[in-house]
Amino acid sequence: MPTEPKLKRFNQNVLSKYRIYNSIFMTLPFDTLSKTVALLPLFYDTCKDGFERHEDPTTIVNTFFKKYQARRSEQSQINLLFRFIQYIERQVVLFDAVEDAAFSVVNNMEGIGTLRSLKENAQADHKTELLQEYLEAFKVRIVLTAHPTQFYPGAVLGIITDLAEAIKVDNLVEINSLLGQLGKTPFFKDKKPTPYDEAVNLIWYLKNVFYHSFGGIYDYVQQNIFDDQEIDNSLINIGFWPGGDRDGNPFVTPQITLDVARKLKESIIKCYIKDVKYLRRRLTFRGIRERIIDINHRLHNTLLHKEASSRISLEEFRKELFDIRNILIEQHQSLFVDKVTTLINRTTLFGYHFASLDIRQDSRVHDAMFRALVKELIANGNDTFPADFFELPLKAQLKHLSEVSGVIEDVEFKDEMAINIVETIRAMKTIQDKNGEIACNRYIISNNQTTLNVLQLFAMLKIIAFGDDLTADVVPLFETVTDLEASPSVMEELYTNPVYRKHLEARGNRQTIMLGFSDGTKDGGYLMANWGIFRAKEALTELSRKYDIDVIFFDGRGGPPARGGGKTHQFYASLGPTVEDKEIQLTIQGQTISSNFGTIDSSQYNMEQLISSGISNRLNDKNLEMRGEDKEVMDKLASLSYDTYVNFKKHPKFLSYLEHMSTLKYYAKTNIGSRPSKRGKSEGLVFADLRAIPFVGSWSQLKQNVPGFYGVGTALKYYEDRGEFEKVQHLYQESRFFRALIANSMMSLSKSFFNLTRYMSEDPEYGEFWTTIYTEYETTKRLILKLTGFKELMEDELVAKASIAVRESIVLPLLTIQQYALKKIQELEKAEVRDEEKIRIFEKMVTRSLFGNINASRNSA
């Protein structure tokens, strides 16, 4: 039977099912639900028709009440709007669950970009041995970050998972119960989570998704590509930031870091115990059963921290499993060997650490910590640093920093900053001793600008805990456009520093460099942020090859295109031979975790796509370097786009527009993350203090998505105006990298809806500013369609386009309510007598409407 087209599969298995289950949801016997359900479709139609007539949200809401609910009191109207918000949030959850359930039907789990496809293509091209060679050296690391851009509490995530499972088998009784549970479960949190809470929430994915999906991928590679032979490479692993990422988060303490590492170890041991219990039921043979029972007891003792002699180390655990497997092969006709091999593979992937905990802090904070540390050492008579250290020339400081040795002991620190860095670095060493080196062996310096930033940390790691045997890597993070341009000179100074070079040799001549992150797009605009990273990678690759260093690029991909993300596998498949590609490392955060890795199917599929994109990049001889003339065009586009974006940021209304016309200040009230919503302590709004999540999120709530497209249209128009548009078209045809950028920008444009805020065009203060944004949107859309030859945006991504369309239609009433509430607040704040109670109610309405809008943007990654 022929397979239906992908869009048809989506319409049948997602859209149709959503409509059916949404109708069931509407019949639930809750007191206030029936009226809400009856009125919401009428409100949706009023919104849709109103925006088509270019009406403003206030007029639309007033028209609805006048037409359908004229007798309602003002308080009753407000209550109804809150009930609409609650119901729409749950519709988004239902759609998520339906989409999750249909994932393996809509997506071809053995098609292009999967491991099966990779294997078969390699066989057809007689490149199986080459594929094995690459897979033994290649790695993918996804790093789960502590940056929540999604508002689902743990209880709701559990409902989505269970609902998806029930929908897969059309279990109507279970679906009915779960929809009832969904209707009663609160979506918002009364207080902010702690960093430990955030870690526990993400460990749920480790236990319930990654343990199974990553294990399954490894099993497949071993069985089908390596013919059941051992692979000398873990291939895939997980990094973890909650509990380790201190950047701008004063609530992450050394004790939190230790607690998270302990929780990670406990969680993986519980997974192993579960698998060992299964083996205990199957391996009932003489000489094996007793050993399995013993492993089970010793794992429990390790979990409960019993006396050391009764525990089992990772090395002992693995040795026992290998011995048992050999006995099964030699004496028991290989019965259940595959189950034992699967568990061995899990220990290869996850050890006793489960995920590698990264530490991260800002270079400016490190500088303050370092100065506090040195001053205390000098005051205590410690001679690690000379008394005049800070008066020395920079070159002398760098030399001293790289050459310090020995571990400081018996110094009682009093300065809070000195104590913090000392305890943090000692915590890293403690975690390595308890969970293995890989459990915590990277320290990332965000906002890294200079060689001094790196060597300050390098020196502190050595003298505080590690001594000359430094089993940790210093990872500079170059974020802004300026820092990216300076990165090669910083790294060359490090590569030519004899002591640092010796450290790299001890670490296998490998240097990890983190590039970009969501602040890059916020700082330099969409094209420049991405092109700046690409050019930095090229320069750093060339430099590292010159010094025989294997450079590993760690990408801060930030979720949606506006935060440096987008379609990740397309991005990696497009890099070409001038960028080192032995390993892919990237951050996964917010809704990207649940949308791309939230179920075993989606996690397996998207991880295979990542592995395949990295490997096929090496197997594919056609993936050629971008030509000189194309690079010139790309340079010019990025430069024009950057200038346009920077001038836009300098607009006198830029910050006040965000502050007064968007939801920016409401992000701090949502209680979704443990971090403060801005970096500095300044009273007023300062651009440098803005975090990327509320910055990008505020544009998204306005349905303007500025960071994902602003400047692109102006850059393309430069070539159109000069009659040289064919140069950009040639770049688009020849460069997979540029095509990936344009595809991501199209997604940002697709999620824009300027009719929502069209009323702002007539605002006496912000009308001209709104028109500036809208003009750039129209220019970008028109020229991207001209460039691609499409009649409409995303016409080559019909399923993603359809998914976005459904989600946008679900939240249209929510967006309308949000804008209505924002307008009400503005009016109330201008009134002669402020009604604080009413302002509070409408502020709550804005905050509550943030939730569903963000959750509905799940497919942004």
Side-chain angles (χ1 to χ4, degrees):
M1 186 175 171
T3 307
E4 299 278 10
K6 191 173 181 181
L7 182 61
K8 194 166 185 180
R9 299 200 302 272
F10 175 85
N11 288 334
Q12 289 172 344
N13 295 280
V14 179
L15 196 51
S16 297
K17 280 195 175 184
Y18 167 70
R19 286 171 180 156
I20 292 166
Y21 294 128
N22 191 38
S23 65
I24 294 172
F25 199 10
M26 289 178 169
T27 61
L28 291 174
F30 297 148
D31 297 338
T32 56
L33 189 63
S34 56
K35 284 184 181 177
T36 307
V37 165
L39 291 170
L40 184 55
L42 298 173
F43 183 53
Y44 170 79
D45 287 339
T46 307
C47 294
K48 189 168 176 289
D49 295 343
F51 286 126
E52 284 173 3
R53 291 194 296 267
H54 290 180
E55 290 176 357
D56 64 273
T58 304
T59 302
I60 289 168
V61 173
N62 290 338
T63 299
F64 168 74
F65 282 122
K66 189 176 178 183
K67 192 171 180 181
Y68 298 108
Q69 296 286 294
R71 294 181 184 177
R72 274 185 186 268
S73 66
E74 186 182 8
Q75 185 56 51
S76 177
Q77 290 177 356
I78 288 169
N79 291 342
L80 180 62
L81 292 178
F82 273 111
R83 289 207 300 276
F84 281 163
I85 291 170
Q86 292 172 325
Y87 186 70
I88 292 163
E89 281 178 334
R90 285 154 179 80
Q91 284 183 307
V92 174
V93 170
L94 177 59
F95 190 76
D96 282 350
V98 173
E99 219 171 23
D100 283 348
F103 189 92
S104 60
V105 178
V106 173
N107 296 279
N108 185 349
M109 301 294 284
E110 296 183 346
I112 294 169
T114 63
L115 287 173
R116 178 168 178 172
S117 171
L118 187 69
K119 179 198 76 164
E120 289 176 352
N121 288 340
Q123 285 174 340
D125 295 338
H126 307 292
K127 290 182 178 178
T128 302
E129 285 187 15
L130 190 61
L131 175 60
Q132 290 175 343
E133 186 185 313
Y134 286 159
L135 284 169
E136 287 203 304
F138 181 73
K139 274 192 176 72
V140 177
R141 176 185 288 208
I142 64 166
V143 180
L144 308 181
T145 78
H147 304 155
T149 54
Q150 177 174 285
F151 298 89
Y152 291 143
V156 175
L157 284 172
I159 295 170
I160 293 175
T161 303
D162 295 342
L163 197 51
E165 288 304 310
I167 289 168
K168 270 185 184 177
V169 292
D170 291 319
N171 184 340
L172 287 175
V173 174
E174 181 75 359
I175 290 165
N176 214 41
S177 300
L178 290 166
L179 289 174
Q181 182 189 354
L182 187 63
K184 295 282 189 180
T185 303
F187 271 51
F188 57 92
K189 297 168 184 173
D190 296 323
K191 59 182 182 181
K192 277 179 172 286
T194 66
Y196 184 76
D197 294 333
E198 289 174 333
V200 170
N201 285 342
L202 283 190
I203 288 170
W204 184 92
Y205 287 102
L206 296 181
K207 293 187 300 186
N208 293 285
V209 179
F210 296 127
Y211 184 74
H212 305 285
S213 62
F214 286 16
I217 288 169
Y218 197 85
D219 287 348
Y220 180 89
V221 171
Q222 186 185 56
Q223 291 162 16
N224 294 279
I225 298 175
F226 285 85
D227 298 324
D228 289 318
Q229 299 303 306
E230 295 300 313
I231 311 169
D232 188 25
N233 181 23
S234 62
L235 186 61
I236 43 182
N237 54 59
I238 307 168
F240 203 76
W241 277 14
D245 182 10
R246 293 154 157 69
D247 185 6
N249 194 341
F251 308 115
V252 179
T253 64
Q255 188 57 50
I256 288 274
T257 304
L258 290 167
D259 291 345
V260 170
R262 189 192 71 247
K263 182 70 176 175
L264 284 164
K265 183 174 182 178
E266 288 172 357
S267 299
I268 189 58
I269 289 175
K270 283 178 182 175
C271 289
Y272 293 153
I273 288 171
K274 204 171 178 183
D275 283 354
V276 167
K277 279 182 178 173
Y278 171 82
L279 290 176
R280 189 172 168 175
R281 288 201 303 275
R282 294 289 169 267
L283 302 182
T284 50
F285 319 135
R286 186 179 288 116
I288 291 182
R289 183 171 179 272
E290 299 77 12
R291 293 178 79 159
I292 287 287
I293 292 170
D294 182 58
I295 289 171
N296 196 14
H297 288 321
R298 292 174 71 189
L299 281 170
H300 272 287
N301 291 340
T302 307
L303 180 66
L304 299 171
H305 309 288
K306 296 263 180 98
E307 62 274 8
S309 60
S310 69
R311 299 181 206 170
I312 188 165
S313 69
L314 179 65
E315 292 72 23
E316 290 172 320
F317 182 30
R318 282 174 58 81
K319 184 181 181 303
E320 280 293 290
L321 291 175
F322 276 110
D323 287 350
I324 287 167
R325 189 172 70 173
N326 289 337
I327 295 169
L328 288 173
I329 293 167
E330 291 166 10
Q331 300 177 23
H332 300 286
Q333 291 75 47
S334 296
L335 270 171
F336 304 114
V337 155
D338 57 331
K339 303 297 182 188
V340 177
T341 299
T342 288
L343 183 51
I344 290 170
N345 289 345
R346 302 295 192 273
T347 64
T348 300
L349 293 177
F350 305 115
Y352 269 2
H353 62 284
F354 215 160
S356 301
L357 195 59
D358 285 342
I359 309 295
R360 184 174 80 122
Q361 183 57 281
D362 189 282
S363 63
R364 293 160 292 193
V365 178
H366 275 147
D367 185 65
M369 286 174 159
F370 175 74
R371 287 174 180 275
L373 180 78
V374 171
K375 283 174 185 172
E376 289 227 37
L377 287 173
I378 292 168
N380 276 277
N382 185 292
D383 62 358
T384 303
F385 292 92
D388 64 345
F389 177 78
F390 293 111
E391 280 74 57
L392 294 174
L394 178 60
K395 200 169 181 182
Q397 285 190 37
L398 293 175
K399 187 173 189 296
H400 191 84
L401 285 169
S402 64
E403 291 175 352
V404 291
S405 62
V407 179
I408 52 171
E409 293 171 357
D410 304 324
V411 176
E412 192 175 330
F413 295 97
K414 295 182 177 64
D415 186 284
E416 198 175 316
M417 295 195 94
I419 293 168
N420 193 301
I421 191 69
V422 166
E423 290 185 354
T424 296
I425 290 172
R426 285 177 180 165
M428 287 181 73
K429 186 75 168 67
T430 302
I431 293 166
Q432 287 194 9
D433 293 341
K434 289 185 175 180
N435 297 8
E437 184 196 306
I438 194 174
C440 189
N441 66 352
R442 302 203 308 191
Y443 203 126
I444 298 157
I445 311 171
S446 52
N447 193 47
N448 195 96
Q449 298 175 343
T450 64
T451 310
L452 181 66
N453 295 152
V454 176
L455 290 181
Q456 281 178 339
L457 177 60
F458 181 65
M460 288 193 288
L461 287 166
K462 290 201 293 184
I463 64 173
I464 290 171
F466 289 93
D468 293 333
D469 181 24
L470 178 52
T471 54
D473 300 317
V474 181
V475 180
L477 164 51
F478 301 102
E479 293 182 73
T480 66
V481 173
T482 308
D483 293 345
L484 288 167
E485 288 170 351
S487 62
S489 60
V490 170
M491 296 315 301
E492 185 152 34
E493 279 194 75
L494 291 167
Y495 289 165
T496 54
N497 180 302
V499 181
Y500 190 81
R501 179 63 200 244
K502 193 177 176 188
H503 162 68
L504 288 182
E505 286 170 8
R507 304 295 292 164
N509 277 319
R510 291 156 60 88
Q511 171 69 54
T512 303
I513 301 172
M514 190 171 179
L515 295 170
F517 214 32
S518 35
D519 276 0
T521 309
K522 184 186 125 212
D523 170 63
Y526 178 68
L527 277 186
M528 179 56 91
N530 284 282
W531 183 237
I533 291 168
F534 185 89
R535 293 308 296 260
K537 281 185 176 181
E538 285 196 319
L540 291 166
T541 296
E542 186 180 356
L543 178 75
S544 302
R545 287 171 179 171
K546 174 183 167 185
Y547 289 101
D548 293 323
I549 301 291
D550 281 336
V551 66
I552 296 155
F553 294 119
F554 176 17
D555 293 302
R557 296 274 307 153
R563 298 190 54 231
K567 295 207 170 289
T568 304
H569 55 276
Q570 290 180 6
F571 170 81
Y572 285 109
S574 72
L575 293 179
T578 56
V579 172
E580 198 63 81
D581 60 356
K582 289 183 179 139
E583 194 160 328
I584 287 175
Q585 294 193 8
L586 71 155
T587 53
I588 306 286
Q589 61 198 64
Q591 72 266 35
T592 319
I593 296 172
S594 58
S595 63
N596 282 10
F597 296 91
T599 67
I600 292 172
D601 283 342
S602 64
S603 171
Q604 178 190 325
Y605 179 83
N606 284 302
M607 196 63 183
E608 286 193 21
Q609 293 285 325
L610 270 179
I611 296 168
S612 181
S613 65
I615 292 291
S616 60
N617 199 15
R618 307 183 77 188
L619 288 172
N620 187 358
D621 300 329
K622 296 171 188 171
N623 199 3
L624 302 173
E625 182 180 353
M626 196 184 291
R627 292 177 185 174
E629 57 268 31
D630 285 334
K631 274 190 176 174
E632 284 176 22
V633 174
M634 191 67 230
D635 267 330
K636 186 67 178 175
L637 288 169
S639 176
L640 290 164
S641 174
Y642 177 68
D643 291 343
T644 306
Y645 182 76
V646 168
N647 287 334
F648 174 64
K649 284 196 307 182
K650 288 177 181 173
H651 193 289
K653 296 297 179 190
F654 182 84
L655 283 176
S656 64
Y657 180 79
L658 278 174
E659 192 168 18
H660 299 296
M661 305 299 276
S662 84
T663 57
L664 183 68
K665 62 186 176 187
Y666 298 94
Y667 269 79
K669 301 175 183 180
T670 55
N671 292 333
I672 59 159
S674 64
R675 295 197 308 176
S677 60
K678 63 186 184 110
R679 284 190 174 87
K681 296 179 181 176
S682 52
E683 286 297 315
L685 189 61
V686 178
F687 184 78
D689 290 345
L690 278 180
R691 292 200 179 283
I693 289 170
F695 174 75
V696 170
S698 298
W699 290 113
S700 174
Q701 297 281 325
L702 285 167
K703 304 312 289 179
Q704 292 177 358
N705 289 328
V706 158
F709 72 81
Y710 201 92
V712 177
T714 297
L716 293 173
K717 193 170 183 296
Y718 168 84
Y719 282 93
E720 183 186 53
D721 289 347
R722 291 166 66 94
E724 296 179 347
F725 201 70
E726 74 280 355
K727 288 185 177 179
V728 190
Q729 289 169 320
H730 185 270
L731 173 66
Y732 183 77
Q733 293 301 325
E734 295 296 316
S735 169
R736 293 172 71 183
F737 174 77
F738 186 55
R739 285 202 300 278
L741 291 190
I742 294 298
N744 287 334
S745 197
M746 269 199 279
M747 186 182 284
S748 289
L749 293 167
S750 294
K751 293 188 174 186
S752 298
F753 181 59
F754 278 83
N755 278 350
L756 178 71
T757 55
R758 189 174 291 277
Y759 72 93
M760 294 180 188
S761 65
E762 295 170 13
D763 187 274
E765 188 174 356
Y766 297 108
E768 179 264 333
F769 185 74
W770 183 92
T771 303
T772 299
I773 300 169
Y774 182 61
T775 302
E776 183 65 17
Y777 162 79
E778 286 283 281
T779 303
T780 306
K781 182 179 175 181
R782 177 179 68 80
L783 289 172
I784 280 184
L785 290 175
K786 181 177 178 178
L787 175 66
T788 57
F790 294 171
K791 289 186 171 60
E792 54 184 36
L793 296 171
M794 293 183 70
E795 69 176 42
D796 61 336
E797 296 265 0
L798 291 176
V799 170
K801 183 181 174 68
S803 177
I804 289 169
V806 177
R807 291 173 179 279
E808 296 295 306
S809 70
I810 291 171
V811 296
L812 184 66
L814 208 54
L815 294 162
T816 311
I817 292 168
Q818 185 183 89
Q819 285 296 318
Y820 169 76
L822 284 167
K823 194 71 179 162
K824 280 285 187 187
I825 292 164
Q826 289 169 18
E827 289 170 6
L828 289 163
E829 286 177 339
K830 287 174 185 171
E832 287 183 20
V833 181
R834 282 172 65 96
D835 187 333
E836 296 295 343
E837 178 60 21
K838 273 193 177 178
I839 289 174
R840 189 189 65 78
I841 289 169
F842 284 112
E843 284 185 336
K844 184 182 176 186
M845 193 177 285
V846 173
T847 305
R848 293 289 289 111
S849 63
L850 282 167
F851 289 44
N853 289 337
I854 282 288
N855 292 338
S857 293
R858 185 190 206 196
N859 52 19
S860 60

